[in-house]
PDB file of all heavy atoms in Angstrom:
ATOM      1  N   SER W   1      15.321 -20.354  14.288  1.00 98.00           N
ATOM      2  CA  SER W   1      15.366 -19.767  12.944  1.00 98.00           C
ATOM      3  C   SER W   1      16.714 -19.862  12.249  1.00 98.00           C
ATOM      4  O   SER W   1      16.838 -19.432  11.096  1.00 98.00           O
ATOM      5  CB  SER W   1      14.932 -18.299  13.008  1.00 98.00           C
ATOM      6  OG  SER W   1      13.540 -18.211  13.171  1.00 98.00           O
ATOM      7  N   ILE W   2      17.714 -20.450  12.892  1.00 98.00           N
ATOM      8  CA  ILE W   2      18.941 -20.769  12.159  1.00 98.00           C
ATOM      9  C   ILE W   2      18.580 -21.692  10.993  1.00 98.00           C
ATOM     10  O   ILE W   2      19.255 -21.729   9.970  1.00 98.00           O
ATOM     11  CB  ILE W   2      19.984 -21.440  13.078  1.00 98.00           C
ATOM     12  CG1 ILE W   2      20.242 -20.593  14.336  1.00 98.00           C
ATOM     13  CG2 ILE W   2      21.289 -21.666  12.327  1.00 98.00           C
ATOM     14  CD1 ILE W   2      20.745 -19.202  14.072  1.00 98.00           C
ATOM     15  N   THR W   3      17.489 -22.430  11.156  1.00 98.00           N
ATOM     16  CA  THR W   3      16.914 -23.271  10.098  1.00 98.00           C
ATOM     17  C   THR W   3      16.845 -22.539   8.766  1.00 98.00           C
ATOM     18  O   THR W   3      17.049 -23.132   7.696  1.00 98.00           O
ATOM     19  CB  THR W   3      15.493 -23.704  10.508  1.00 98.00           C
ATOM     20  OG1 THR W   3      15.571 -24.566  11.646  1.00 98.00           O
ATOM     21  CG2 THR W   3      14.758 -24.413   9.382  1.00 98.00           C
ATOM     22  N   LYS W   4      16.545 -21.245   8.804  1.00 98.00           N
ATOM     23  CA  LYS W   4      16.269 -20.498   7.569  1.00 98.00           C
ATOM     24  C   LYS W   4      17.485 -20.384   6.654  1.00 98.00           C
ATOM     25  O   LYS W   4      17.324 -20.094   5.462  1.00 98.00           O
ATOM     26  CB  LYS W   4      15.699 -19.124   7.910  1.00 98.00           C
ATOM     27  CG  LYS W   4      14.321 -19.171   8.568  1.00 98.00           C
ATOM     28  CD  LYS W   4      13.752 -17.779   8.761  1.00 98.00           C
ATOM     29  CE  LYS W   4      12.354 -17.799   9.370  1.00 98.00           C
ATOM     30  NZ  LYS W   4      12.371 -18.018  10.816  1.00 98.00           N
ATOM     31  N   LEU W   5      18.690 -20.606   7.172  1.00 98.00           N
ATOM     32  CA  LEU W   5      19.844 -20.658   6.278  1.00 98.00           C
ATOM     33  C   LEU W   5      19.700 -21.829   5.305  1.00 98.00           C
ATOM     34  O   LEU W   5      19.963 -21.696   4.103  1.00 98.00           O
ATOM     35  CB  LEU W   5      21.142 -20.798   7.073  1.00 98.00           C
ATOM     36  CG  LEU W   5      21.740 -19.525   7.663  1.00 98.00           C
ATOM     37  CD1 LEU W   5      22.994 -19.864   8.447  1.00 98.00           C
ATOM     38  CD2 LEU W   5      22.051 -18.496   6.580  1.00 98.00           C
ATOM     39  N   MET W   6      19.297 -22.994   5.821  1.00 98.00           N
ATOM     40  CA  MET W   6      19.087 -24.141   4.936  1.00 98.00           C
ATOM     41  C   MET W   6      17.878 -23.914   4.032  1.00 98.00           C
ATOM     42  O   MET W   6      17.889 -24.295   2.851  1.00 98.00           O
ATOM     43  CB  MET W   6      18.917 -25.422   5.743  1.00 98.00           C
ATOM     44  CG  MET W   6      18.759 -26.675   4.890  1.00 98.00           C
ATOM     45  SD  MET W   6      20.219 -27.028   3.866  1.00 98.00           S
ATOM     46  CE  MET W   6      21.274 -27.836   5.082  1.00 98.00           C
ATOM     47  N   THR W   7      16.831 -23.287   4.566  1.00 98.00           N
ATOM     48  CA  THR W   7      15.666 -22.942   3.749  1.00 98.00           C
ATOM     49  C   THR W   7      16.086 -22.133   2.535  1.00 98.00           C
ATOM     50  O   THR W   7      15.661 -22.396   1.405  1.00 98.00           O
ATOM     51  CB  THR W   7      14.657 -22.137   4.595  1.00 98.00           C
ATOM     52  OG1 THR W   7      14.198 -22.950   5.667  1.00 98.00           O
ATOM     53  CG2 THR W   7      13.467 -21.689   3.758  1.00 98.00           C
ATOM     54  N   ALA W   8      16.959 -21.154   2.752  1.00 98.00           N
ATOM     55  CA  ALA W   8      17.419 -20.298   1.656  1.00 98.00           C
ATOM     56  C   ALA W   8      18.244 -21.074   0.648  1.00 98.00           C
ATOM     57  O   ALA W   8      18.072 -20.917  -0.577  1.00 98.00           O
ATOM     58  CB  ALA W   8      18.225 -19.137   2.217  1.00 98.00           C
ATOM     59  N   LEU W   9      19.135 -21.924   1.120  1.00 97.00           N
ATOM     60  CA  LEU W   9      19.990 -22.674   0.206  1.00 97.00           C
ATOM     61  C   LEU W   9      19.182 -23.603  -0.685  1.00 97.00           C
ATOM     62  O   LEU W   9      19.413 -23.698  -1.891  1.00 97.00           O
ATOM     63  CB  LEU W   9      21.040 -23.465   0.996  1.00 97.00           C
ATOM     64  CG  LEU W   9      22.393 -22.778   1.206  1.00 97.00           C
ATOM     65  CD1 LEU W   9      22.236 -21.425   1.879  1.00 97.00           C
ATOM     66  CD2 LEU W   9      23.328 -23.675   2.000  1.00 97.00           C
ATOM     67  N   VAL W  10      18.206 -24.277  -0.110  1.00 98.00           N
ATOM     68  CA  VAL W  10      17.378 -25.196  -0.901  1.00 98.00           C
ATOM     69  C   VAL W  10      16.527 -24.415  -1.896  1.00 98.00           C
ATOM     70  O   VAL W  10      16.376 -24.820  -3.060  1.00 98.00           O
ATOM     71  CB  VAL W  10      16.508 -26.062   0.032  1.00 98.00           C
ATOM     72  CG1 VAL W  10      15.485 -26.864  -0.764  1.00 98.00           C
ATOM     73  CG2 VAL W  10      17.389 -27.008   0.838  1.00 98.00           C
ATOM     74  N   ALA W  11      15.977 -23.287  -1.475  1.00 98.00           N
ATOM     75  CA  ALA W  11      15.182 -22.462  -2.383  1.00 98.00           C
ATOM     76  C   ALA W  11      16.031 -21.961  -3.551  1.00 98.00           C
ATOM     77  O   ALA W  11      15.597 -21.977  -4.708  1.00 98.00           O
ATOM     78  CB  ALA W  11      14.581 -21.282  -1.630  1.00 98.00           C
ATOM     79  N   LEU W  12      17.260 -21.549  -3.276  1.00 98.00           N
ATOM     80  CA  LEU W  12      18.138 -21.042  -4.332  1.00 98.00           C
ATOM     81  C   LEU W  12      18.579 -22.148  -5.286  1.00 98.00           C
ATOM     82  O   LEU W  12      18.713 -21.920  -6.496  1.00 98.00           O
ATOM     83  CB  LEU W  12      19.351 -20.359  -3.711  1.00 98.00           C
ATOM     84  CG  LEU W  12      19.073 -18.993  -3.089  1.00 98.00           C
ATOM     85  CD1 LEU W  12      20.228 -18.566  -2.196  1.00 98.00           C
ATOM     86  CD2 LEU W  12      18.820 -17.949  -4.177  1.00 98.00           C
ATOM     87  N   ASP W  13      18.795 -23.341  -4.776  1.00 97.00           N
ATOM     88  CA  ASP W  13      19.238 -24.444  -5.624  1.00 97.00           C
ATOM     89  C   ASP W  13      18.173 -24.884  -6.628  1.00 97.00           C
ATOM     90  O   ASP W  13      18.477 -25.587  -7.590  1.00 97.00           O
ATOM     91  CB  ASP W  13      19.679 -25.629  -4.778  1.00 97.00           C
ATOM     92  CG  ASP W  13      21.130 -25.533  -4.346  1.00 97.00           C
ATOM     93  OD1 ASP W  13      21.869 -24.715  -4.933  1.00 97.00           O
ATOM     94  OD2 ASP W  13      21.536 -26.255  -3.425  1.00 97.00           O
ATOM     95  N   ALA W  14      16.921 -24.474  -6.416  1.00 97.00           N
ATOM     96  CA  ALA W  14      15.855 -24.820  -7.362  1.00 97.00           C
ATOM     97  C   ALA W  14      15.920 -23.966  -8.621  1.00 97.00           C
ATOM     98  O   ALA W  14      15.256 -24.278  -9.622  1.00 97.00           O
ATOM     99  CB  ALA W  14      14.490 -24.663  -6.701  1.00 97.00           C
ATOM    100  N   ASN W  15      16.698 -22.866  -8.572  1.00 97.00           N
ATOM    101  CA  ASN W  15      16.870 -21.977  -9.730  1.00 97.00           C
ATOM    102  C   ASN W  15      15.550 -21.437 -10.268  1.00 97.00           C
ATOM    103  O   ASN W  15      15.384 -21.264 -11.485  1.00 97.00           O
ATOM    104  CB  ASN W  15      17.641 -22.702 -10.850  1.00 97.00           C
ATOM    105  CG  ASN W  15      19.072 -23.010 -10.459  1.00 97.00           C
ATOM    106  OD1 ASN W  15      19.764 -22.172  -9.892  1.00 97.00           O
ATOM    107  ND2 ASN W  15      19.514 -24.222 -10.754  1.00 97.00           N
ATOM    108  N   GLN W  16      14.616 -21.165  -9.375  1.00 98.00           N
ATOM    109  CA  GLN W  16      13.367 -20.537  -9.782  1.00 98.00           C
ATOM    110  C   GLN W  16      13.572 -19.029  -9.917  1.00 98.00           C
ATOM    111  O   GLN W  16      14.442 -18.449  -9.261  1.00 98.00           O
ATOM    112  CB  GLN W  16      12.276 -20.835  -8.754  1.00 98.00           C
ATOM    113  CG  GLN W  16      11.905 -22.309  -8.666  1.00 98.00           C
ATOM    114  CD  GLN W  16      10.933 -22.578  -7.535  1.00 98.00           C
ATOM    115  OE1 GLN W  16      11.334 -22.632  -6.369  1.00 98.00           O
ATOM    116  NE2 GLN W  16       9.672 -22.733  -7.863  1.00 98.00           N
ATOM    117  N   PRO W  17      12.751 -18.359 -10.740  1.00 98.00           N
ATOM    118  CA  PRO W  17      12.929 -16.916 -10.949  1.00 98.00           C
ATOM    119  C   PRO W  17      12.742 -16.129  -9.643  1.00 98.00           C
ATOM    120  O   PRO W  17      11.732 -16.284  -8.967  1.00 98.00           O
ATOM    121  CB  PRO W  17      11.836 -16.562 -11.960  1.00 98.00           C
ATOM    122  CG  PRO W  17      11.474 -17.848 -12.617  1.00 98.00           C
ATOM    123  CD  PRO W  17      11.660 -18.911 -11.586  1.00 98.00           C
ATOM    124  N   MET W  18      13.724 -15.302  -9.314  1.00 98.00           N
ATOM    125  CA  MET W  18      13.654 -14.530  -8.088  1.00 98.00           C
ATOM    126  C   MET W  18      12.677 -13.362  -8.190  1.00 98.00           C
ATOM    127  O   MET W  18      12.203 -12.851  -7.175  1.00 98.00           O
ATOM    128  CB  MET W  18      15.040 -14.011  -7.703  1.00 98.00           C
ATOM    129  CG  MET W  18      15.973 -15.094  -7.188  1.00 98.00           C
ATOM    130  SD  MET W  18      15.441 -15.805  -5.596  1.00 98.00           S
ATOM    131  CE  MET W  18      15.003 -17.473  -6.105  1.00 98.00           C
ATOM    132  N   ASN W  19      12.346 -12.951  -9.424  1.00 97.00           N
ATOM    133  CA  ASN W  19      11.398 -11.845  -9.588  1.00 97.00           C
ATOM    134  C   ASN W  19       9.951 -12.320  -9.715  1.00 97.00           C
ATOM    135  O   ASN W  19       9.029 -11.508  -9.815  1.00 97.00           O
ATOM    136  CB  ASN W  19      11.775 -10.981 -10.791  1.00 97.00           C
ATOM    137  CG  ASN W  19      11.768 -11.771 -12.107  1.00 97.00           C
ATOM    138  OD1 ASN W  19      11.591 -12.992 -12.102  1.00 97.00           O
ATOM    139  ND2 ASN W  19      11.973 -11.083 -13.214  1.00 97.00           N
ATOM    140  N   GLU W  20       9.737 -13.631  -9.713  1.00 98.00           N
ATOM    141  CA  GLU W  20       8.372 -14.171  -9.806  1.00 98.00           C
ATOM    142  C   GLU W  20       7.613 -13.887  -8.514  1.00 98.00           C
ATOM    143  O   GLU W  20       8.117 -14.124  -7.412  1.00 98.00           O
ATOM    144  CB  GLU W  20       8.412 -15.683 -10.041  1.00 98.00           C
ATOM    145  CG  GLU W  20       7.039 -16.314 -10.131  1.00 98.00           C
ATOM    146  CD  GLU W  20       7.081 -17.825 -10.247  1.00 98.00           C
ATOM    147  OE1 GLU W  20       8.197 -18.387 -10.247  1.00 98.00           O
ATOM    148  OE2 GLU W  20       6.009 -18.448 -10.319  1.00 98.00           O
ATOM    149  N   ARG W  21       6.390 -13.383  -8.661  1.00 98.00           N
ATOM    150  CA  ARG W  21       5.565 -13.121  -7.481  1.00 98.00           C
ATOM    151  C   ARG W  21       4.865 -14.409  -7.056  1.00 98.00           C
ATOM    152  O   ARG W  21       4.222 -15.072  -7.871  1.00 98.00           O
ATOM    153  CB  ARG W  21       4.543 -12.011  -7.757  1.00 98.00           C
ATOM    154  CG  ARG W  21       5.205 -10.644  -7.867  1.00 98.00           C
ATOM    155  CD  ARG W  21       4.226  -9.495  -7.901  1.00 98.00           C
ATOM    156  NE  ARG W  21       4.935  -8.233  -7.749  1.00 98.00           N
ATOM    157  CZ  ARG W  21       5.167  -7.643  -6.589  1.00 98.00           C
ATOM    158  NH1 ARG W  21       4.718  -8.192  -5.477  1.00 98.00           N
ATOM    159  NH2 ARG W  21       5.832  -6.509  -6.539  1.00 98.00           N
ATOM    160  N   ILE W  22       5.008 -14.742  -5.778  1.00 98.00           N
ATOM    161  CA  ILE W  22       4.442 -15.974  -5.245  1.00 98.00           C
ATOM    162  C   ILE W  22       3.451 -15.637  -4.131  1.00 98.00           C
ATOM    163  O   ILE W  22       3.585 -14.619  -3.440  1.00 98.00           O
ATOM    164  CB  ILE W  22       5.541 -16.924  -4.728  1.00 98.00           C
ATOM    165  CG1 ILE W  22       6.447 -16.227  -3.709  1.00 98.00           C
ATOM    166  CG2 ILE W  22       6.370 -17.437  -5.901  1.00 98.00           C
ATOM    167  CD1 ILE W  22       7.544 -17.120  -3.138  1.00 98.00           C
ATOM    168  N   GLU W  23       2.458 -16.475  -3.984  1.00 98.00           N
ATOM    169  CA  GLU W  23       1.390 -16.206  -3.015  1.00 98.00           C
ATOM    170  C   GLU W  23       1.808 -16.594  -1.606  1.00 98.00           C
ATOM    171  O   GLU W  23       2.345 -17.682  -1.374  1.00 98.00           O
ATOM    172  CB  GLU W  23       0.130 -16.982  -3.398  1.00 98.00           C
ATOM    173  CG  GLU W  23      -1.057 -16.689  -2.485  1.00 98.00           C
ATOM    174  CD  GLU W  23      -2.324 -17.379  -2.928  1.00 98.00           C
ATOM    175  OE1 GLU W  23      -2.432 -17.698  -4.136  1.00 98.00           O
ATOM    176  OE2 GLU W  23      -3.206 -17.617  -2.076  1.00 98.00           O
ATOM    177  N   VAL W  24       1.558 -15.705  -0.674  1.00 98.00           N
ATOM    178  CA  VAL W  24       1.887 -15.951   0.723  1.00 98.00           C
ATOM    179  C   VAL W  24       0.902 -16.969   1.296  1.00 98.00           C
ATOM    180  O   VAL W  24      -0.304 -16.771   1.283  1.00 98.00           O
ATOM    181  CB  VAL W  24       1.826 -14.649   1.543  1.00 98.00           C
ATOM    182  CG1 VAL W  24       2.068 -14.937   3.023  1.00 98.00           C
ATOM    183  CG2 VAL W  24       2.845 -13.645   1.013  1.00 98.00           C
ATOM    184  N   THR W  25       1.435 -18.094   1.793  1.00 97.00           N
ATOM    185  CA  THR W  25       0.598 -19.119   2.398  1.00 97.00           C
ATOM    186  C   THR W  25       1.393 -19.902   3.432  1.00 97.00           C
ATOM    187  O   THR W  25       2.621 -20.009   3.325  1.00 97.00           O
ATOM    188  CB  THR W  25       0.040 -20.078   1.327  1.00 97.00           C
ATOM    189  OG1 THR W  25      -0.762 -21.088   1.963  1.00 97.00           O
ATOM    190  CG2 THR W  25       1.159 -20.767   0.552  1.00 97.00           C
ATOM    191  N   VAL W  26       0.685 -20.431   4.418  1.00 97.00           N
ATOM    192  CA  VAL W  26       1.304 -21.284   5.433  1.00 97.00           C
ATOM    193  C   VAL W  26       0.544 -22.596   5.553  1.00 97.00           C
ATOM    194  O   VAL W  26       0.688 -23.325   6.526  1.00 97.00           O
ATOM    195  CB  VAL W  26       1.348 -20.566   6.804  1.00 97.00           C
ATOM    196  CG1 VAL W  26       2.172 -19.288   6.723  1.00 97.00           C
ATOM    197  CG2 VAL W  26      -0.054 -20.258   7.330  1.00 97.00           C
ATOM    198  N   GLU W  27      -0.246 -22.891   4.549  1.00 96.00           N
ATOM    199  CA  GLU W  27      -1.195 -24.010   4.589  1.00 96.00           C
ATOM    200  C   GLU W  27      -0.557 -25.331   5.009  1.00 96.00           C
ATOM    201  O   GLU W  27      -1.132 -26.092   5.802  1.00 96.00           O
ATOM    202  CB  GLU W  27      -1.845 -24.166   3.212  1.00 96.00           C
ATOM    203  CG  GLU W  27      -2.879 -25.270   3.137  1.00 96.00           C
ATOM    204  CD  GLU W  27      -3.517 -25.373   1.760  1.00 96.00           C
ATOM    205  OE1 GLU W  27      -3.203 -24.521   0.895  1.00 96.00           O
ATOM    206  OE2 GLU W  27      -4.309 -26.309   1.548  1.00 96.00           O
ATOM    207  N   ASP W  28       0.632 -25.635   4.487  1.00 96.00           N
ATOM    208  CA  ASP W  28       1.258 -26.931   4.742  1.00 96.00           C
ATOM    209  C   ASP W  28       2.307 -26.900   5.844  1.00 96.00           C
ATOM    210  O   ASP W  28       3.135 -27.813   5.958  1.00 96.00           O
ATOM    211  CB  ASP W  28       1.891 -27.464   3.448  1.00 96.00           C
ATOM    212  CG  ASP W  28       0.842 -27.769   2.388  1.00 96.00           C
ATOM    213  OD1 ASP W  28      -0.295 -28.110   2.764  1.00 96.00           O
ATOM    214  OD2 ASP W  28       1.158 -27.642   1.188  1.00 96.00           O
ATOM    215  N   VAL W  29       2.270 -25.849   6.672  1.00 97.00           N
ATOM    216  CA  VAL W  29       3.145 -25.752   7.842  1.00 97.00           C
ATOM    217  C   VAL W  29       2.243 -25.556   9.068  1.00 97.00           C
ATOM    218  O   VAL W  29       1.997 -24.439   9.508  1.00 97.00           O
ATOM    219  CB  VAL W  29       4.154 -24.586   7.717  1.00 97.00           C
ATOM    220  CG1 VAL W  29       5.152 -24.617   8.869  1.00 97.00           C
ATOM    221  CG2 VAL W  29       4.880 -24.636   6.379  1.00 97.00           C
ATOM    222  N   PRO W  30       1.724 -26.648   9.634  1.00 96.00           N
ATOM    223  CA  PRO W  30       0.730 -26.549  10.701  1.00 96.00           C
ATOM    224  C   PRO W  30       1.154 -25.675  11.874  1.00 96.00           C
ATOM    225  O   PRO W  30       0.317 -24.967  12.455  1.00 96.00           O
ATOM    226  CB  PRO W  30       0.545 -28.011  11.136  1.00 96.00           C
ATOM    227  CG  PRO W  30       0.869 -28.804   9.913  1.00 96.00           C
ATOM    228  CD  PRO W  30       1.967 -28.051   9.240  1.00 96.00           C
ATOM    229  N   ILE W  31       2.432 -25.669  12.226  1.00 96.00           N
ATOM    230  CA  ILE W  31       2.883 -24.900  13.377  1.00 96.00           C
ATOM    231  C   ILE W  31       2.733 -23.391  13.147  1.00 96.00           C
ATOM    232  O   ILE W  31       2.739 -22.604  14.087  1.00 96.00           O
ATOM    233  CB  ILE W  31       4.344 -25.257  13.722  1.00 96.00           C
ATOM    234  CG1 ILE W  31       4.662 -24.855  15.167  1.00 96.00           C
ATOM    235  CG2 ILE W  31       5.316 -24.622  12.739  1.00 96.00           C
ATOM    236  CD1 ILE W  31       5.950 -25.431  15.687  1.00 96.00           C
ATOM    237  N   MET W  32       2.551 -22.991  11.892  1.00 94.00           N
ATOM    238  CA  MET W  32       2.415 -21.576  11.549  1.00 94.00           C
ATOM    239  C   MET W  32       0.979 -21.075  11.611  1.00 94.00           C
ATOM    240  O   MET W  32       0.744 -19.866  11.520  1.00 94.00           O
ATOM    241  CB  MET W  32       2.949 -21.350  10.130  1.00 94.00           C
ATOM    242  CG  MET W  32       4.453 -21.238  10.028  1.00 94.00           C
ATOM    243  SD  MET W  32       5.043 -19.693  10.739  1.00 94.00           S
ATOM    244  CE  MET W  32       4.186 -18.494   9.718  1.00 94.00           C
ATOM    245  N   HIS W  33       0.020 -21.949  11.800  1.00 90.00           N
ATOM    246  CA  HIS W  33      -1.374 -21.554  11.615  1.00 90.00           C
ATOM    247  C   HIS W  33      -1.858 -20.497  12.601  1.00 90.00           C
ATOM    248  O   HIS W  33      -2.771 -19.731  12.297  1.00 90.00           O
ATOM    249  CB  HIS W  33      -2.282 -22.789  11.667  1.00 90.00           C
ATOM    250  CG  HIS W  33      -2.131 -23.680  10.481  1.00 90.00           C
ATOM    251  ND1 HIS W  33      -2.825 -24.863  10.317  1.00 90.00           N
ATOM    252  CD2 HIS W  33      -1.345 -23.567   9.373  1.00 90.00           C
ATOM    253  CE1 HIS W  33      -2.478 -25.427   9.178  1.00 90.00           C
ATOM    254  NE2 HIS W  33      -1.581 -24.678   8.592  1.00 90.00           N
ATOM    255  N   ASN W  34      -1.268 -20.403  13.756  1.00 88.00           N
ATOM    256  CA  ASN W  34      -1.689 -19.394  14.736  1.00 88.00           C
ATOM    257  C   ASN W  34      -0.566 -18.406  15.062  1.00 88.00           C
ATOM    258  O   ASN W  34      -0.589 -17.760  16.108  1.00 88.00           O
ATOM    259  CB  ASN W  34      -2.166 -20.080  16.018  1.00 88.00           C
ATOM    260  CG  ASN W  34      -3.422 -20.891  15.802  1.00 88.00           C
ATOM    261  OD1 ASN W  34      -4.384 -20.413  15.209  1.00 88.00           O
ATOM    262  ND2 ASN W  34      -3.419 -22.130  16.268  1.00 88.00           N
TER     263      ASN W  34
END
C-alpha cells in the first residue's frame, strides 16, 4: 500500500473537484473483486 502515495499524487494532479461525490466501485481492478 505504499503504492497509494502515487495514487494520491496522480488523483490530485487531475484537479478534479474534491467535494464531488463519486461512486464506489472496483470493477476495473480485478484483484479487488474478493
Side-chain angles (χ1 to χ4, degrees):
S1 285
I2 307 301
T3 294
K4 294 185 178 79
L5 278 178
M6 183 63 81
T7 297
L9 267 56
V10 171
L12 286 165
D13 274 345
N15 294 316
Q16 295 174 282
M18 288 293 112
N19 60 354
E20 179 185 0
R21 289 190 169 269
I22 54 179
E23 184 176 336
V24 176
T25 179
V26 299
E27 182 179 356
D28 295 331
V29 187
I31 200 167
M32 280 289 300
H33 290 179
N34 294 312

